[in-house]
């Protein structure tokens, strides 16, 4: 696959994945096309050596793996990423009526950068649960696709301080405007129509920006899209495991709820990965040996140094876009990397012919975290945190380098071979 093909498919993946549910569905479809067989956690598993499988939990997290022999001696080469991104999530009794406008009440999911959500053409997607025509409970994914709402800015004439001291009250300032109507509207009726269900019982719906992902820059150096954090890593992991050797045990885990701390049934702080690993290797001593022989590459985006805000990075550790994957290091274990895993990753990069960069945060600033330390703690597997450098993390539109995802793919392909 060329870098162009790879990036064009990436843009399609981003467009088709407005929510973690849709991302998981896209991953599942791509895996099935590549010969991975679907497993269900509720079934008894009969795994065959040299075959490829995947399993989902809550329709929002996914584990794909290649199953081979000698797990306890050779371990599993694992990659982890997350399917969720910060967003605005509809409240249960969502409709707000004001001055003939109908708005939707929202919660802020994760650490969203709120300013960029204003003046965007917003749509809604997610999961609706209810009874189908046969009277059975069904969980359906919906996506309105067209822009159905907007959060207009307040004109500068009404807020002279807007460019200096603007703050956003998440309760009062951001409910998107969906329509103008003097009549009572039923949001349930809207969902019935969209989902085809007979009765709606609950929903998990998110707003998203309808602007399509795009190549940006005079020489197309950049990629701009929503949800690059962390669908970028999910996609790179997907493409790498699709080409995994069948002689080696490899695994990709894409978890939901990273942006809110990973503590959930489907999050990295839950039991999903542990449960799957146990089913691959049920006997206690073999399991312990397998974990000891395994490694996890936790892939989540990094902060590229922004030329307008250079002082926000340590001067020796400012990753640049299009200069390769970033190795994330933190003395206080906000990242799980240690010299053992870092050196293994550097060797992989060298063997794949890909440059790498180091990131350590300014010592007078706090440091983000990700699924790496959580997985290392939960499973006890040696782990490295890496990621691709981006601008505007947690904005509704983030920017990455055109060359970086393909380069990380080359490294992970090598790791999985
Ligand atoms: Zn992330």
């Amino acid at each position: 696959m060329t870098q162009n093909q790879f990036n064009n498919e990436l843009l399609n993946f981003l467009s088709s994945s407005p929510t973690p549910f849709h991302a998981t569905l896209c991953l599942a479809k791509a895996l099935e096309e590549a010969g991975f067989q679907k497993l269900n956690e509720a079934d008894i598993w009969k795994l065959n050596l040299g075959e490829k499988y995947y399993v989902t939990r809550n329709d929002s997290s996914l584990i794909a793996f290649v199953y081979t022999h000698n797990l306890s001696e050779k371990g599993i080469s694992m990659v982890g990423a997350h399917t969720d991104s910060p967003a605005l999530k509809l409240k249960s009794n969502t409709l707000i009526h004001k001055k003939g406008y109908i708005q939707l009440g929202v919660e802020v999911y994760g650490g969203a950068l709120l300013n960029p959500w204003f003046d965007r053409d917003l749509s809604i997607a997610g999961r609706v649960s209810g009874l189908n025509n046969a009277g059975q409970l069904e969980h359906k994914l919906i996506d309105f696709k067209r822009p159905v709402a907007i959060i207009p800015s307040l004109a500068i004439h009404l807020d002279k301080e807007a460019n200096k001291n603007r703050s956003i009250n998440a309760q009062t300032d951001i409910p998107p405007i969906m329509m103008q109507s003097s009549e009572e509207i039923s949001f349930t009726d809207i969902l019935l129509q969209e989902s085809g269900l007979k009765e709606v019982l609950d929903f998990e719906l998110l707003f998203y920006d309808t602007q399509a992902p795009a190549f940006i820059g005079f020489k197309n150096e950049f990629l701009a899209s929503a949800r690059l954090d962390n669908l970028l890593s999910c996609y790179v992991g997907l493409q790498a495991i699709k080409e995994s050797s069948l002689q080696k045990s490899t695994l990709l885990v894409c978890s939901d709820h990273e942006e809110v701390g990973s503590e959930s049934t489907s999050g990295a702080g839950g039991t999903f990965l542990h449960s799957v690993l146990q089913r691959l290797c049920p006997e206690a001593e073999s399991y312990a040996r397998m974990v000891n022989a395994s490694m996890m590459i936790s892939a989540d985006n990094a902060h590229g140094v922004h030329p307008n805000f250079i002082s926000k990075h340590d001067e020796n550790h400012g990753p640049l876009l299009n200069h390769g994957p970033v190795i994330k290091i933190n003395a206080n274990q906000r990242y799980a990397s240690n010299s053992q895993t870092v050196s293994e990753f550097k060797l992989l990069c060298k063997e794949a012919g890909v440059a790498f960069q180091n990131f350590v945060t300014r010592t007078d600033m706090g440091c983000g975290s990700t699924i790496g330390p959580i997985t290392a703690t939960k499973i006890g597997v040696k782990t490295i945190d890496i990621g691709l450098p981006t601008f505007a993390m947690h904005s509704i539109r983030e920017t990455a380098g055109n060359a970086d995802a393909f380069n990380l793919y080359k490294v992970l392909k090598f790791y999985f071979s």
Side-chain angles (χ1 to χ4, degrees):
M1 198 188 306
T2 65
Q3 184 174 314
N4 257 347
Q5 289 169 326
F6 181 90
N7 280 341
N8 281 322
E9 258 190 61
L10 166 61
L11 298 198
N12 286 337
F13 175 70
L14 291 162
S15 295
S16 311
S17 305
T19 74
F21 303 117
H22 292 83
T24 301
L25 185 66
C26 284
L27 291 167
K29 276 187 189 162
L31 289 163
E32 279 192 15
E33 277 168 25
F36 284 72
Q37 302 163 55
K38 185 180 169 68
L39 296 168
N40 191 320
E41 284 198 280
D43 296 339
I44 294 169
W45 291 4
K46 291 200 177 84
L47 303 174
N48 296 316
L49 293 171
E51 294 200 0
K52 309 183 274 189
Y53 300 93
Y54 79 92
V55 55
T56 64
R57 188 180 273 195
N58 183 45
D59 308 325
S60 64
S61 293
L62 177 144
I63 293 175
F65 60 90
V66 174
Y67 181 67
T68 63
H69 50 71
N70 291 339
L71 277 178
S72 45
E73 280 87 38
K74 293 184 179 167
I76 308 180
S77 299
M78 298 190 257
V79 169
H82 65 88
T83 57
D84 62 320
S85 307
L88 303 183
K89 186 172 186 182
L90 276 67
K91 288 185 176 174
S92 303
N93 303 322
T94 190
L95 288 193
I96 302 167
H97 296 81
K98 271 189 202 168
K99 296 277 181 193
Y101 295 102
I102 295 178
Q103 294 171 264
L104 298 173
V106 289
E107 287 184 280
V108 179
Y109 175 83
L113 198 57
L114 289 176
N115 260 315
W117 279 81
F118 287 78
D119 310 320
R120 292 278 170 168
D121 307 347
L122 301 176
S123 191
I124 297 170
R127 181 170 70 179
V128 180
S129 300
L131 298 179
N132 60 21
N133 285 330
Q136 291 155 331
L137 187 58
E138 202 180 323
H139 310 285
K140 293 190 88 164
L141 301 197
I142 63 164
D143 180 358
F144 285 83
K145 292 206 165 101
R146 65 196 171 93
V148 293
I150 192 161
I151 313 170
S153 291
L154 186 61
I156 194 154
H157 318 76
L158 306 179
D159 179 10
K160 297 277 188 210
E161 298 290 296
N163 287 334
K164 281 189 200 153
N165 302 316
R166 188 181 180 208
S167 66
I168 298 168
N169 181 309
Q171 170 68 17
T172 58
D173 298 353
I174 59 171
I177 298 173
M178 183 175 68
M179 66 171 98
Q180 207 169 18
S181 173
S182 48
E183 287 162 31
E184 278 291 302
I185 296 293
S186 158
F187 192 63
T188 304
D189 285 348
I190 294 173
L191 292 185
L192 283 173
Q193 202 180 6
E194 195 64 28
S195 66
L197 291 167
K198 202 177 71 180
E199 182 182 343
V200 169
L201 294 168
D202 201 19
F203 55 82
E204 289 180 65
L205 297 171
L206 299 165
F207 277 104
Y208 72 92
D209 186 6
T210 55
Q211 185 179 2
F215 296 108
I216 303 282
F218 200 72
K219 294 184 289 175
N220 283 345
E221 298 94 323
F222 311 115
L223 282 170
S225 172
R227 303 177 299 282
L228 287 177
D229 175 12
N230 187 17
L231 295 183
L232 194 56
S233 309
C234 291
Y235 174 79
V236 174
L238 166 74
Q239 295 301 350
I241 201 162
K242 272 166 59 179
E243 294 180 37
S244 171
S245 156
L246 299 181
Q247 315 302 319
K248 185 173 180 178
S249 290
T250 57
L251 183 147
L252 170 70
V253 52
C254 297
S255 305
D256 195 5
H257 296 145
E258 188 274 345
E259 300 294 355
V260 292
S262 295
E263 301 289 317
S264 73
T265 50
S266 49
T271 57
F272 189 29
L273 178 59
H274 176 67
S275 166
V276 168
L277 292 177
Q278 257 189 337
R279 294 172 84 154
L280 301 189
C281 205
E283 197 272 316
E285 189 170 67
S286 302
Y287 177 87
R289 293 175 64 212
M290 173 188 77
V291 168
N292 180 263
S294 298
M295 177 157 135
M296 166 66 79
I297 296 180
S298 157
D300 197 357
N301 294 352
H303 301 295
V305 61
H306 189 312
N308 297 352
F309 304 95
I310 287 170
S311 66
K312 292 292 178 186
H313 277 72
D314 179 287
E315 60 187 324
N316 286 343
H317 301 91
L320 299 170
L321 272 59
N322 289 318
H323 283 240
V326 177
I327 297 167
K328 305 180 189 177
I329 295 154
N330 181 256
N332 299 302
Q333 292 298 305
R334 302 285 291 163
Y335 299 129
S337 317
N338 61 29
S339 52
Q340 187 186 12
T341 54
V342 168
S343 51
E344 289 194 37
F345 185 77
K346 285 181 178 173
L347 278 181
L348 284 171
C349 289
K350 283 184 177 171
E351 283 161 8
V354 168
F356 52 82
Q357 317 180 66
N358 291 319
F359 175 73
V360 185
T361 194
R362 278 184 65 107
T363 312
D364 55 3
M365 276 175 70
C367 182
S369 191
T370 179
I371 55 166
I374 294 165
T375 309
T377 305
K378 268 268 170 215
I379 307 292
V381 62
K382 66 180 178 185
T383 299
I384 180 167
D385 276 300
I386 57 115
L388 300 177
T390 59
F391 295 138
M393 190 184 286
H394 292 191
S395 170
I396 198 167
R397 200 158 176 89
E398 302 169 326
T399 304
N402 186 330
D404 285 327
F406 191 69
N407 275 329
L408 180 58
Y409 157 73
K410 286 197 267 184
V411 177
L412 296 187
K413 220 168 65 161
F414 206 88
Y415 175 57
F416 280 161
S417 68

PDB file of all heavy atoms in Angstrom, residues 82 229-230 258-259 300, ligand 1:
ATOM      1  N   HIS A  82      -7.350   4.096  21.520  1.00  0.00           N
ATOM      2  CA  HIS A  82      -8.719   4.287  22.041  1.00  0.00           C
ATOM      3  C   HIS A  82      -9.667   4.808  20.979  1.00  0.00           C
ATOM      4  O   HIS A  82      -9.267   5.551  20.073  1.00  0.00           O
ATOM      5  CB  HIS A  82      -8.734   5.143  23.312  1.00  0.00           C
ATOM      6  CG  HIS A  82      -8.286   6.561  23.167  1.00  0.00           C
ATOM      7  ND1 HIS A  82      -9.139   7.575  22.820  1.00  0.00           N
ATOM      8  CD2 HIS A  82      -7.079   7.148  23.354  1.00  0.00           C
ATOM      9  CE1 HIS A  82      -8.483   8.722  22.804  1.00  0.00           C
ATOM     10  NE2 HIS A  82      -7.221   8.494  23.113  1.00  0.00           N
ATOM     11  N   ASP A 229      -7.285  12.205  17.503  1.00  0.00           N
ATOM     12  CA  ASP A 229      -7.040  11.595  18.827  1.00  0.00           C
ATOM     13  C   ASP A 229      -8.285  10.769  19.157  1.00  0.00           C
ATOM     14  O   ASP A 229      -9.297  11.346  19.527  1.00  0.00           O
ATOM     15  CB  ASP A 229      -6.803  12.695  19.866  1.00  0.00           C
ATOM     16  CG  ASP A 229      -6.652  12.146  21.279  1.00  0.00           C
ATOM     17  OD1 ASP A 229      -6.507  10.926  21.424  1.00  0.00           O
ATOM     18  OD2 ASP A 229      -6.691  12.951  22.222  1.00  0.00           O
ATOM     19  N   ASN A 230      -8.357   9.465  18.985  1.00  0.00           N
ATOM     20  CA  ASN A 230      -7.186   8.670  18.716  1.00  0.00           C
ATOM     21  C   ASN A 230      -7.496   7.683  17.596  1.00  0.00           C
ATOM     22  O   ASN A 230      -6.932   6.604  17.528  1.00  0.00           O
ATOM     23  CB  ASN A 230      -6.762   7.979  20.015  1.00  0.00           C
ATOM     24  CG  ASN A 230      -5.449   7.246  19.881  1.00  0.00           C
ATOM     25  OD1 ASN A 230      -4.677   7.469  18.970  1.00  0.00           O
ATOM     26  ND2 ASN A 230      -5.226   6.320  20.759  1.00  0.00           N
ATOM     27  N   GLU A 258     -11.320   6.294  27.135  1.00  0.00           N
ATOM     28  CA  GLU A 258     -10.003   6.797  27.576  1.00  0.00           C
ATOM     29  C   GLU A 258     -10.107   8.257  28.000  1.00  0.00           C
ATOM     30  O   GLU A 258      -9.462   8.680  28.954  1.00  0.00           O
ATOM     31  CB  GLU A 258      -8.980   6.648  26.436  1.00  0.00           C
ATOM     32  CG  GLU A 258      -7.542   6.948  26.855  1.00  0.00           C
ATOM     33  CD  GLU A 258      -7.136   8.423  26.787  1.00  0.00           C
ATOM     34  OE1 GLU A 258      -7.867   9.210  26.151  1.00  0.00           O
ATOM     35  OE2 GLU A 258      -6.112   8.795  27.370  1.00  0.00           O
ATOM     36  N   GLU A 259     -10.936   9.013  27.278  1.00  0.00           N
ATOM     37  CA  GLU A 259     -11.003  10.453  27.534  1.00  0.00           C
ATOM     38  C   GLU A 259     -11.659  10.781  28.868  1.00  0.00           C
ATOM     39  O   GLU A 259     -11.654  11.934  29.296  1.00  0.00           O
ATOM     40  CB  GLU A 259     -11.763  11.160  26.399  1.00  0.00           C
ATOM     41  CG  GLU A 259     -11.129  11.002  25.019  1.00  0.00           C
ATOM     42  CD  GLU A 259      -9.776  11.688  24.891  1.00  0.00           C
ATOM     43  OE1 GLU A 259      -9.355  12.368  25.852  1.00  0.00           O
ATOM     44  OE2 GLU A 259      -9.135  11.539  23.842  1.00  0.00           O
ATOM     45  N   ASP A 300      -1.070   6.713  21.217  1.00  0.00           N
ATOM     46  CA  ASP A 300      -2.028   7.802  21.399  1.00  0.00           C
ATOM     47  C   ASP A 300      -1.299   9.087  20.999  1.00  0.00           C
ATOM     48  O   ASP A 300      -0.089   9.204  21.203  1.00  0.00           O
ATOM     49  CB  ASP A 300      -2.475   7.843  22.866  1.00  0.00           C
ATOM     50  CG  ASP A 300      -3.746   8.647  23.059  1.00  0.00           C
ATOM     51  OD1 ASP A 300      -4.249   9.221  22.083  1.00  0.00           O
ATOM     52  OD2 ASP A 300      -4.230   8.703  24.214  1.00  0.00           O
TER      53      ASP A 300
HETATM   54 ZN1  LIG B   1      -5.980  10.248  23.186  1.00  0.00          ZN
END
